[in-house]
Amino acid sequence: MRKGKKLAGTAIIYALTLLLLAFFIGPILWFALLAIRPSDTFFTMPPVLAFKPDWTSLHYTFGDPGNNLPQLVNSLIVAIGAVLLNLPFSLPAAYALSRFRIRGRKNIMLWYLGLLMAPPVAFLIPYSILASSVGLKGSYFSMILIMQTLTIPFSIWLMKSFIDEVPVEIEEAARVDGAKTPAIVLKIVLPLVRPGIIVTSMFAFVFAWNNAAFPLVLANRATATLPVGTLQYFGTAGVTWGFIGAAALAAMLPPMIIFLALDRYVVRGLTFGSVKG
């Protein structure tokens, strides 16, 4: 009797888990199928679940004429560049805010939090004017630089929490042996928080990859990113759902591949310091 109740409880848990997965993954999967679904089955009722794949939308967006292929490359350039520029600034700042007694440290952290809470659209006009005045509008560097408005505050908040979990006694012992602060950071702290660095870089990549507001006003036709390119399929004559699905599928794949390839670091990073003893 008790064993039957246990099996029933396990079955209910699995059923609820599958239902929850279907609730979150179902719409994403359904939208991705727009890329290979025949156009006459987009909104049929009841929905058509079995269909012959139609590769026209994918061929148009990434083959011939392939307008979205350069935009995919542009997105990779901007996202990777944003991560590479982010780390040299966020890591030292996170270490300083974690280890040093800085006057107004709490206010600094709240200011970073305010930057994260502010909507990106609030920065568009000032950044557009600034980029135009210095001749950087339409360049990769302008987008990579301005992406730091989002990536650096988030990275500092996240990295500070990882560095806080590293015992100060390790650094004090190294100082007793004559090690200087740069050597301590490079040879002791950074190796210990490597999962946190990887997780921070992954989230910074996703932030920059998904951002469409900044490239929308800072990019030109040659440097437009994939989220901006997807907007061209929303026109006054109608919405081309197949092309949107193809572009959205390509936009989803790089973050998914990165998180699946580095999933062990995600688990280690997000649970870093959660178990003490």
Side-chain angles (χ1 to χ4, degrees):
M1 184 69 179
R2 184 175 298 177
K3 185 177 180 180
K5 290 183 178 179
K6 185 177 180 180
L7 290 175
T10 303
I12 292 174
I13 291 175
Y14 276 110
L16 292 176
T17 302
L18 291 175
L19 183 62
L20 188 64
L21 287 174
F23 180 78
F24 285 104
I25 299 178
I28 299 175
L29 181 62
W30 185 269
F31 193 79
L33 288 176
L34 286 176
I36 59 174
R37 180 183 290 274
S39 58
D40 57 349
T41 63
F42 283 167
F43 303 106
T44 55
M45 288 296 172
V48 177
L49 299 179
F51 57 85
K52 183 179 179 180
D54 184 359
W55 307 102
T56 303
S57 298
L58 285 171
H59 180 70
Y60 179 88
T61 52
F62 297 102
D64 184 19
N67 295 330
N68 293 114
L69 185 58
Q71 295 165 354
L72 177 62
V73 176
N74 293 339
S75 291
L76 288 172
I77 293 173
V78 172
I80 294 174
V83 174
L84 295 178
L85 185 61
N86 165 58
L87 293 177
F89 291 96
S90 60
L91 289 178
Y95 181 82
L97 290 168
S98 174
R99 290 295 189 254
F100 302 148
R101 293 184 178 179
I102 302 173
R103 180 178 296 179
R105 178 173 58 179
K106 183 178 179 180
N107 293 330
I108 294 174
M109 296 300 295
L110 289 176
W111 179 62
Y112 285 138
L113 183 61
L115 290 175
L116 285 173
M117 301 281 292
V121 69
F123 304 105
L124 294 184
I125 295 177
Y127 283 160
S128 178
I129 296 174
L130 179 61
S132 298
S133 62
V134 297
L136 290 177
K137 191 170 184 179
S139 65
Y140 293 120
F141 181 72
S142 64
M143 291 183 284
I144 291 172
L145 183 62
I146 291 174
M147 287 292 180
Q148 307 310 310
T149 306
L150 300 177
T151 58
I152 286 182
F154 175 81
S155 298
I156 290 175
W157 265 91
L158 193 58
M159 281 306 307
K160 180 182 178 299
S161 65
F162 291 127
I163 296 173
D164 287 342
E165 298 297 334
V166 176
V168 181
E169 291 77 11
I170 298 177
E171 300 179 40
E172 293 175 347
R175 286 192 175 90
V176 171
D177 292 336
K180 303 298 182 181
T181 299
I184 292 173
V185 174
L186 292 175
K187 297 181 179 181
I188 297 177
V189 177
L190 293 187
L192 289 175
V193 299
R194 183 174 60 180
I197 295 174
I198 294 175
V199 170
T200 302
S201 301
M202 292 165 63
F203 279 105
F205 178 90
V206 172
F207 274 22
W209 177 269
N210 290 334
N211 189 281
F214 293 160
L216 185 63
V217 299
L218 295 173
N220 55 26
R221 183 180 294 272
T223 59
T225 58
L226 190 57
V228 175
T230 307
L231 298 177
Q232 67 181 331
Y233 299 122
F234 292 89
T236 56
V239 180
T240 50
W241 291 107
F243 298 158
I244 293 173
L249 178 62
M252 288 188 291
L253 285 179
M256 289 175 60
I257 293 172
I258 290 174
F259 273 81
L260 289 175
L262 301 174
D263 61 332
R264 63 185 184 276
Y265 291 104
V266 175
V267 175
R268 289 176 59 192
L270 295 180
T271 59
F272 185 82
S274 60
V275 179
K276 296 182 179 180

